[in-house]
Amino acid sequence: MSSYRTVVVGTDGSAPSLRAVGRAAEVASASSARLVIVCAYYPTDPKELERAADQLGDEAFQVMGSAPAQDTVQTASDTARKAGATDVETVASVGEPVSVLLGAAEKHSADLLVVGSRGLNTLKGRILGSVPSEVSRRSDCDVLVVRTSR
């Protein structure tokens, strides 16, 4: 495996995404690389939040809120440091996950982009899209899809 200088990982705060953060931290640590943890979010007003929660149920946290995004990246940073990463940066950006992740990878000159494999089926999946498949298809750098559904 090549040595990476910058690893970007996406998280939405879920347990599966934190497993991907842990794996990204291990890779970053082994390569003495910088780890950039990214959380995409949409700011919403209370009425939109309620409607989205009704539609998405437990998955609503993946597309809403701004303050939770800061908590999400802080928790992910703690997870990454426990897994061995020492040079950790966090980013919470407004936008849809694929664009935010690809933008962060480009901005930080990432050599590796890490995402979790957790897939969403049915209506939720169509609304949220498949982040791993889109990132893999569109990324200009290596992509590691971490199996997170175990």
Side-chain angles (χ1 to χ4, degrees), residues 42-139:
Y42 295 117
T44 54
D45 68 44
K47 287 181 184 179
E48 288 177 5
L49 208 82
E50 190 175 314
R51 276 194 307 247
D54 288 344
Q55 285 282 332
L56 299 174
D58 291 341
E59 305 301 333
F61 69 91
Q62 294 187 56
V63 295
M64 305 180 302
S66 54
Q70 291 301 326
D71 292 340
T72 294
V73 294
Q74 182 58 53
T75 299
S77 177
D78 295 344
T79 299
R81 290 181 193 285
K82 286 178 187 169
T86 56
D87 184 1
V88 179
E89 180 179 338
T90 61
V91 177
S93 295
V94 174
E96 61 91 18
V98 172
S99 295
V100 167
L101 286 171
L102 293 173
E106 182 178 343
K107 177 181 177 182
H108 295 279
S109 301
D111 307 295
L112 178 66
L113 181 54
V114 180
V115 293
S117 65
R118 183 173 185 223
L120 298 173
N121 296 322
T122 68
L123 175 61
K124 293 176 187 176
R126 287 192 296 277
I127 291 171
L128 299 173
S130 173
V131 173
S133 64
E134 272 302 296
V135 165
S136 296
R137 189 175 65 77
R138 295 174 45 193
S139 178

